[in-house]
């Protein structure tokens, strides 16, 4: 028999040991991540008394795949819309914590005389708290529903996003970029450009693809397709100079906006768990006990740095975001640990060869210690606040509580300006990125191709015309978008002083669109600048007055918004989210409420017209959720069945009265349930029986007597079905089923 490859043996050893250790950690109610790390330590070459992995290189390859799938799953659980809805408070807290802890970690590393890259990577590791560990700690301590826990989770979501950006920045630093020079600014611009491009193009393409193939998708094909998209984006990310993990996260965030997001999360969960376990096991394999002994002092100092740094800096960050001192301390103390992203950043440093071998096991040891201390840090927040409150003067406490309170501009005019400028900048950024992408693709691929077919100037002309045609909807959107918005109209009509600045915003956007045309013409034609600018302005004016471009722009934007909102629409259809128009109803003292029709409801079985809900309670049914089907604006002939969920509109008083009636108008049940037992009896048709000579349908056994004839004896105890046209004859033995009281009414029943 052939010998098994070393990879299969290593995989068997890893999974068996990991399974046993994680079962133990599950029993001890400890995070499974720590169990995987311990399992990796057990199977590592540093443990001479146990079996160890033979080929670490193959395991590291599997671990790299695990990082890709971990970040893909993180992207699936992430939504850019959540970030936009959070406001500035979590952003302020996250940025304060990340920058401060990064600087603090770099200072600690410098104090020990470590290299510059070791210090920078250490700072990045210390800035990332563990979402998994904090979530589990809140769950175990019953704190998930408290307000401060929601604030912490919002900041953790932002930290996960910024960690992806930090990995790209650290890769740029490792490649020799000057952290104080223009290359870092270029790296940031590059990240923003590709992130915007991939997200916008992905929202256009991926939901449309899944929508058209939805009928062909089962669990198997959806798993293959989603993981294929993940790996394809990971490869594309590496081609443009980013890490594969960054691309996997982007694809996950794109799929998170689709209707299939929940199903994708479910089907890829086992794959993520498998490769994620291998990754964390590989983390434990790098732990060298001798390094832990040699670096015991740095480990203790780094642990204290995290505990004190997050306790003080983290609390200050939340205070700056507008939280009270007590809430800020509870949030800051909760984040005093590092976890999975610290391991990923350390793996990045090792793969790039820019950090020392000692740093990885040091960070793992720090993570283990801070993880065990996390519940204690959360519970210590309130006693620490109580002690500070007793020691500090009351006026200081009041000032600290209002340190981050945002100052609100009450100017209605200023609010319009803020919203309008934000919308215009967002639209200009998105459409500029799309235009740059189209121009780059046309000049990089199409222009060399067409020059092989046509003469030089003809090729330039064809490429230029096609490029302008392709980007014209984007350029028109840059110029015209939000010129007819409510904010623009309000500013234009309310104050004549606003008109000149509004015209300036239009001219600035025309200049942006003109710059694209100027670049295309100058690149292809080499005309004099004056001619190019004149030509560009003429084309811009044609774009503005073109109705076909307007229709194309509106169609593209509607498709994008529809794809972006597809998951929200699916949640509304299935009753997991309230409709968007609810907010406007609240302005008119109307509300939306969902009511389930109970099994014994007296309303069940009647149509909406028969129920007369508007006349009886003053409410209106906007939709009925029946199984997986939503019936919007049901007609009067629509019946109501048990288990239906009615979405009704009315005032608080009307809804309350309807809810009370729905609970009261329920069948109380059968008081004589014991008499409803069904029994089987036989009867012999007598010569003078009223059933003699009649067929089954004529006998009225079901209609008049409330019983059912199940068969007729054919001899030797066998029963045969009774044909509807067969008349009963004297002497026939007929077996019937019914309740005892109904059976007694049969004329020929044997008693």
């Amino acid at each position: 028999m052939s010998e098994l490859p070393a990879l299969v043996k290593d995989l068997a050893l890893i999974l068996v040991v990991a399974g046993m250790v994680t079962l133990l950690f599950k029993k001890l109610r400890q995070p499974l991540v720590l169990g995987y790390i311990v399992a990796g330590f057990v199977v590592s070459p540093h443990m001479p008394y146990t079996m160890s992995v033979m080929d670490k290189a193959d395991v590291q390859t599997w671990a790299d795949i695990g990082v890709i799938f971990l970040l893909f799953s993180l992207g699936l659980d992430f939504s850019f819309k959540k970030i936009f809805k959070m406001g500035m408070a979590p952003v302020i807290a996250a940025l304060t914590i990340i920058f401060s802890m990064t600087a603090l970690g770099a200072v600690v590393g410098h104090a020990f005389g470590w290299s510059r890259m070791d210090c920078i990577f250490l700072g990045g590791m210390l800035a990332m708290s563990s979402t998994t560990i904090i979530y589990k700690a809140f769950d175990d301590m019953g704190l998930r529903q408290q307000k401060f826990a929601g604030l912490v989770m919002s900041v953790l979501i932002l930290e996960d996003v910024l960690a992806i950006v930090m990995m790209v920045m650290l890769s740029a630093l490792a490649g020799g970029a000057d952290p104080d020079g223009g290359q870092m600014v270029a790296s940031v611009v590059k990240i923003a450009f590709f992130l915007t491009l991939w997200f916008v193009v992905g929202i256009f393409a991926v939901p449309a693809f899944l929508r058209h193939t939805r009928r062909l998708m089962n669990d198997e094909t959806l798993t293959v397709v989603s993981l294929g998209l993940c790996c394809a984006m990971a490869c594309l990310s590496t081609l443009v100079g980013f890490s594969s993990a960054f691309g996997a996260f982007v694809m996950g965030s794109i799929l998170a906006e689709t209707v299939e997001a929940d199903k994708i999360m479910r089907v890829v969960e086992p794959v993520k768990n498998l490769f994620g376990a291998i990754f964390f096991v590989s983390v434990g394999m790098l732990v060298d006990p001798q390094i832990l002994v040699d670096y015991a002092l740095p480990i203790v100092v780094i642990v204290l740095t995290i505990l004190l740094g997050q306790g003080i800096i983290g609390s200050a960050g939340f205070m700056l975001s507008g939280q009270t001192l007590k809430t800020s301390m509870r949030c800051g103390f909760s984040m005093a640990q590092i976890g999975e992203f610290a391991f990923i950043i350390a793996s990045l440093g090792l793969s790039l060869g820019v950090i020392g071998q000692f740093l990885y096991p040091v960070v793992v040891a720090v993570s283990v210690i801070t993880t065990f201390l996390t519940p204690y840090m959360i519970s210590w927040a309130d006693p620490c606040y109580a002690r500070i409150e007793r020691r500090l003067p009351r006026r200081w406490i009041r000032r600290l509580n209002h340190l981050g309170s945002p100052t609100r501009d009450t100017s209605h005019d200023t609010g319009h300006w803020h919203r309008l400028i934000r919308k215009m900048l967002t639209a200009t950024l998105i459409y500029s990125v799309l235009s740059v992408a189209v121009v780059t693709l046309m000049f990089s691929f199409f222009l060399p191709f067409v020059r092989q077919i046509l003469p030089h100037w003809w090729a330039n002309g064809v490429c230029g015309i096609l490029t302008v045609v392709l980007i014209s909807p984007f350029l028109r959107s840059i110029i015209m978008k939000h010129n007819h918005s409510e904010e623009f109209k309000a500013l234009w009509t309310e104050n004549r002083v606003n008109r000149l600045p509004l015209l300036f915003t239009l001219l600035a956007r025309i200049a942006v669109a003109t710059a694209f045309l100027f670049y295309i013409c100058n690149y292809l034609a080499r005309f004099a600048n004056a001619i190019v600018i004149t030509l560009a302005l003429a084309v811009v004016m044609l774009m503005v007055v073109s109705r076909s471009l307007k229709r194309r722009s509106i169609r593209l934007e509607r498709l994008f918004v529809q794809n972006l909102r597809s998951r929200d629409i699916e949640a509304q259809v299935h009753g997991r989210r309230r409709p968007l128009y609810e907010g406007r109803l609240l302005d008119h003292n109307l509300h939306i409420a969902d009511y389930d029709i109970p099994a014994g409801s007296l309303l069940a079985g009647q149509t909406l017209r028969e129920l007369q809900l508007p006349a009886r309670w003053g409410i209106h049914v906007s939709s009925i959720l029946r199984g997986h089907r939503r019936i919007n604006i049901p007609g009067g002939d629509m019946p109501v069945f048990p288990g239906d969920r009615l979405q009704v509109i009315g005032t608080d008083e009307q809804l309350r009265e309807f809810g009370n009636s729905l609970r009261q108008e329920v069948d109380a049940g059968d008081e004589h349930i014991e008499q409803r037992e069904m029994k089987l009896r036989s009867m012999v048709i007598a010569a003078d029986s009223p059933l003699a000579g009649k067929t089954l349908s004529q006998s009225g056994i079901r209609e008049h007597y409330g019983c059912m004839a199940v068969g007729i004896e054919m001899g030797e105890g066998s029963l045969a079905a009774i044909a509807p046209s067969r008349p009963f004859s004297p002497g026939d033995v007929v077996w019937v089923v019914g309740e005892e009281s109904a059976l007694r009414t049969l004329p020929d029943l044997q008693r």
Side-chain angles (χ1 to χ4, degrees):
M1 186 175 180
S2 60
E3 184 72 14
L4 279 176
L7 175 61
V8 178
K9 295 181 179 179
D10 291 340
L11 182 62
L13 177 63
I14 288 173
L15 294 181
V16 169
V17 175
M20 296 172 61
V21 175
T22 50
L23 286 175
L24 176 62
F25 272 66
K26 189 75 173 177
K27 180 70 174 178
L28 299 175
R29 300 179 64 84
Q30 295 300 322
L32 295 184
V33 173
L34 295 182
Y36 293 137
I37 294 174
V38 172
F41 180 70
V42 171
V43 300
S44 70
H46 305 296
M47 286 291 290
Y49 305 107
T50 59
M51 295 178 62
S52 60
V53 170
M54 293 179 285
D55 194 340
K56 292 176 62 176
D58 285 340
V59 175
Q60 187 59 45
T61 301
W62 285 52
D64 294 339
I65 299 175
V67 174
I68 293 175
F69 290 153
L70 280 173
L71 291 178
F72 177 63
S73 297
L74 179 64
L76 283 172
D77 200 30
F78 168 81
S79 174
F80 284 96
K81 292 181 291 187
K82 293 180 182 178
I83 301 295
F84 297 143
K85 293 178 182 178
M86 288 177 184
M88 286 303 297
V91 176
I92 294 173
L95 292 177
T96 302
I97 294 171
I98 288 176
F99 284 117
S100 300
M101 291 301 298
T102 301
L104 188 60
V107 169
V108 171
H110 182 72
F112 286 110
W114 296 347
S115 68
R116 189 188 74 159
M117 294 307 300
D118 285 336
C119 295
I120 294 175
F121 272 80
L122 177 64
M125 297 176 209
L126 267 58
M128 297 295 134
S129 299
S130 172
T131 305
T132 304
I133 294 171
I134 295 176
Y135 185 87
K136 185 181 186 306
F138 284 159
D139 196 27
D140 292 342
M141 301 176 70
L143 301 174
R144 277 179 52 192
Q145 304 302 323
Q146 296 197 15
K147 177 184 176 181
F148 86 95
L151 294 171
V152 172
M153 297 309 296
S154 299
V155 172
L156 290 173
I157 291 174
L158 286 170
E159 283 194 353
D160 291 342
V161 179
L162 293 174
I164 302 296
V165 179
M166 180 180 291
M167 290 172 60
V168 178
M169 301 297 294
L170 290 174
S171 299
L173 284 173
D178 183 6
D180 297 325
Q183 294 185 22
M184 294 305 298
V185 177
S187 298
V188 174
V189 174
K190 185 179 179 182
I191 294 171
F193 173 79
F194 280 103
L195 189 62
T196 305
L197 175 64
W198 289 340
F199 182 71
V200 173
V201 175
I203 291 299
F204 270 112
V206 174
F209 167 72
L210 293 177
R211 189 182 305 118
H212 286 90
T213 58
R214 188 169 294 159
R215 293 185 178 181
L216 304 176
M217 290 286 188
N218 55 20
D219 287 355
E220 180 180 357
T221 55
L222 186 61
T223 303
V224 174
V225 169
S226 57
L227 293 181
L229 291 173
C230 167
C231 295
M233 182 58 80
C235 295
L236 179 61
S237 179
T238 57
L239 289 177
V240 297
F242 298 137
S243 67
S244 57
F246 178 73
F249 175 82
V250 171
M251 180 51 66
S253 63
I254 293 172
L255 291 174
E257 307 298 341
T258 64
V259 174
E260 291 80 4
D262 293 328
K263 191 174 182 180
I264 292 174
M265 281 190 283
R266 176 176 59 81
V267 297
V268 304
E269 184 77 12
V271 181
K272 185 263 294 185
N273 290 338
L274 172 63
F275 286 96
I278 297 175
F279 166 71
F280 289 115
V281 169
S282 70
V283 170
M285 290 170 56
L286 294 175
V287 177
D288 187 350
Q290 186 59 44
I291 292 180
L292 300 183
V293 174
D294 296 340
Y295 287 85
L297 179 60
I299 290 173
V300 173
V301 172
I302 294 174
V303 169
L304 294 177
T305 301
I306 293 174
L307 299 181
L308 296 177
Q310 289 285 10
I312 298 174
I313 296 174
S315 300
F318 280 98
M319 277 196 296
L320 290 175
S321 69
Q323 308 304 321
T324 63
L325 177 60
K326 183 176 182 179
T327 301
S328 299
M329 291 185 65
R330 299 181 78 182
C331 294
F333 279 49
S334 300
M335 301 181 67
Q337 79 292 119
I338 58 175
E340 54 274 8
F341 258 115
F343 306 146
I344 294 174
I345 293 174
S347 299
L348 175 65
L350 281 181
S351 64
L352 296 174
V354 295
I355 65 173
Q357 295 290 331
F358 70 92
L359 192 56
Y360 207 125
V362 167
V363 169
V364 172
V366 171
S367 175
V368 172
I369 296 172
T370 54
T371 298
F372 281 115
L373 293 177
T374 295
Y376 299 101
M377 286 293 294
I378 296 174
S379 60
W380 289 341
D382 288 342
C384 289
Y385 170 77
R387 176 165 293 187
I388 292 176
E389 191 178 31
R390 288 194 301 267
R391 298 292 180 86
L392 291 180
R394 288 189 175 274
R395 66 178 182 275
W396 286 27
I397 298 294
R398 287 195 298 269
R399 290 177 181 175
L400 289 174
N401 284 334
H402 294 86
L403 178 64
S405 298
T407 57
R408 302 191 178 180
D409 194 339
T410 58
S411 172
H412 185 64
D413 204 43
T414 305
H416 281 318
W417 271 113
H418 287 170
R419 289 193 295 272
L420 180 62
I421 295 299
R422 184 174 66 248
K423 289 179 179 179
M424 286 182 174
L425 288 176
T426 302
T428 302
L429 173 63
I430 292 175
Y431 290 115
S432 296
V433 168
L434 292 174
S435 300
V436 170
V438 172
V439 172
T440 303
L441 291 174
M442 292 296 290
F443 287 177
S444 300
F445 298 100
F446 182 76
L447 182 59
F449 169 75
V450 76
R451 280 178 175 174
Q452 297 177 1
I453 303 174
L454 299 175
H456 181 82
W457 289 109
W458 280 96
N460 286 2
V462 171
C463 180
I465 292 173
L466 288 178
T467 304
V468 172
V469 170
L470 290 175
I471 69 172
S472 56
F474 306 142
L475 299 186
R476 186 192 184 281
S477 297
I478 291 175
I479 298 172
M480 302 299 294
K481 189 67 178 172
H482 303 302
N483 288 347
H484 301 286
S485 63
E486 295 180 2
E487 293 84 2
F488 193 99
K489 293 178 180 178
L491 291 169
W492 184 271
T493 56
E494 290 175 1
N495 195 337
R496 299 176 69 90
V497 178
N498 292 330
R499 296 186 179 183
L500 186 59
L502 289 172
L503 290 175
F504 177 77
T505 62
L506 179 60
L507 292 175
R509 287 175 287 148
I510 290 176
V512 173
T514 305
F516 280 101
L517 295 173
F518 178 86
Y519 175 79
I520 294 172
C521 295
N522 193 52
Y523 184 88
L524 296 174
R526 307 297 182 186
F527 290 143
N529 291 341
I531 299 177
V532 173
I533 293 175
T534 303
L535 178 63
L537 289 175
V539 175
V540 168
M541 294 306 298
L542 290 175
M543 292 179 182
V544 171
V545 299
S546 172
R547 292 186 175 273
S548 61
L549 281 181
K550 180 180 179 180
R551 289 193 295 269
R552 288 171 58 189
S553 300
I554 293 175
R555 186 166 60 249
L556 288 173
E557 185 174 348
R558 286 178 177 174
L559 176 61
F560 178 80
V561 173
Q562 177 185 343
N563 290 343
L564 188 62
R565 294 189 57 243
S566 59
R567 190 177 182 186
D568 292 338
I569 295 173
E570 185 264 345
Q572 292 178 30
V573 169
H574 291 106
R576 298 192 304 271
R577 181 171 297 185
R578 295 301 183 90
L580 293 178
Y581 65 82
E582 183 179 17
R584 297 192 176 185
L585 291 178
L586 293 175
D587 296 337
H588 296 82
N589 198 30
L590 294 176
H591 301 268
I592 295 179
D594 295 334
Y595 293 96
D596 294 327
I597 303 298
S601 176
L602 299 179
L603 275 63
Q606 303 183 60
T607 65
L608 293 177
R609 183 177 291 108
E610 293 170 343
L611 292 174
Q612 296 186 353
L613 301 180
R616 296 175 63 185
W617 294 286
I619 62 173
H620 299 272
V621 178
S622 61
S623 61
I624 300 176
L625 181 61
R626 182 171 296 162
H628 295 291
R629 179 189 175 202
R630 176 171 289 273
I631 306 170
N632 290 323
I633 319 299
D637 296 331
M638 178 63 62
V640 175
F641 298 122
D644 283 352
R645 174 169 293 179
L646 306 184
Q647 191 169 86
V648 298
I649 301 174
T651 63
D652 284 338
E653 184 63 28
Q654 292 168 344
L655 295 175
R656 183 165 50 252
E657 291 180 0
F658 174 69
N660 293 334
S661 300
L662 192 63
R663 287 188 293 270
Q664 294 171 4
E665 296 185 18
V666 177
D667 190 355
D670 195 347
E671 298 179 359
H672 308 286
I673 190 65
E674 296 84 1
Q675 301 177 13
R676 302 299 178 220
E677 182 184 9
M678 299 281 285
K679 296 183 178 180
L680 178 66
R681 293 285 188 270
S682 64
M683 64 180 183
V684 180
I685 304 299
D688 57 349
S689 172
L691 302 179
K694 295 182 178 179
T695 63
L696 181 61
S697 57
Q698 295 171 345
S699 65
I701 292 178
R702 180 187 290 269
E703 292 79 7
H704 299 309
Y705 298 103
C707 300
M708 181 179 68
V710 296
I712 186 170
E713 281 193 10
M714 302 301 294
E716 300 181 358
S718 63
L719 290 178
I722 304 175
S725 59
R726 180 189 185 282
F728 291 118
S729 302
D732 286 346
V733 180
V734 181
W735 288 84
V736 292
V737 170
E739 297 178 4
E740 183 66 34
S741 58
L743 291 172
R744 292 197 186 105
T745 63
L746 290 172
D748 300 301
L749 186 69
Q750 292 183 354
R751 294 175 171 82

